[in-house]
Amino acid sequence: MNGLVFLIPIALGLGMLGLAGFFWSLRKGQFDDLDGAALRIFVEDEEGKEP
């Protein structure tokens, strides 16, 4: 029972920290273009290729 007194606040604090990190990344525009990175694999780079 004494362990729960320490573990529950730690778990809640870590959960709030993760939620705050998610909202921070959402506000900074991390999730604005979800398809761009996925479709970038199909674009060929002309730089770096030897003739």
Side-chain angles (χ1 to χ4, degrees), residues 18-41:
L19 190 62
F22 170 72
F23 283 129
W24 175 79
S25 65
L26 191 65
R27 191 170 5 116
K28 292 293 182 179
Q30 182 71 27
F31 302 110
D32 284 347
D33 184 21
L34 295 177
D35 294 331
L39 296 176
R40 199 174 310 146
I41 194 170

Side-chain angles (χ1 to χ4, degrees), residues 1-47:
M1 187 69 180
N2 287 337
L4 291 178
V5 173
F6 296 108
L7 292 177
I8 289 176
I10 290 172
L12 289 175
L14 287 174
M16 294 301 278
L17 186 66
L19 190 62
F22 170 72
F23 283 129
W24 175 79
S25 65
L26 191 65
R27 191 170 5 116
K28 292 293 182 179
Q30 182 71 27
F31 302 110
D32 284 347
D33 184 21
L34 295 177
D35 294 331
L39 296 176
R40 199 174 310 146
I41 194 170
F42 297 118
V43 177
E44 290 187 25
D45 289 335
E46 295 298 324
E47 298 177 13

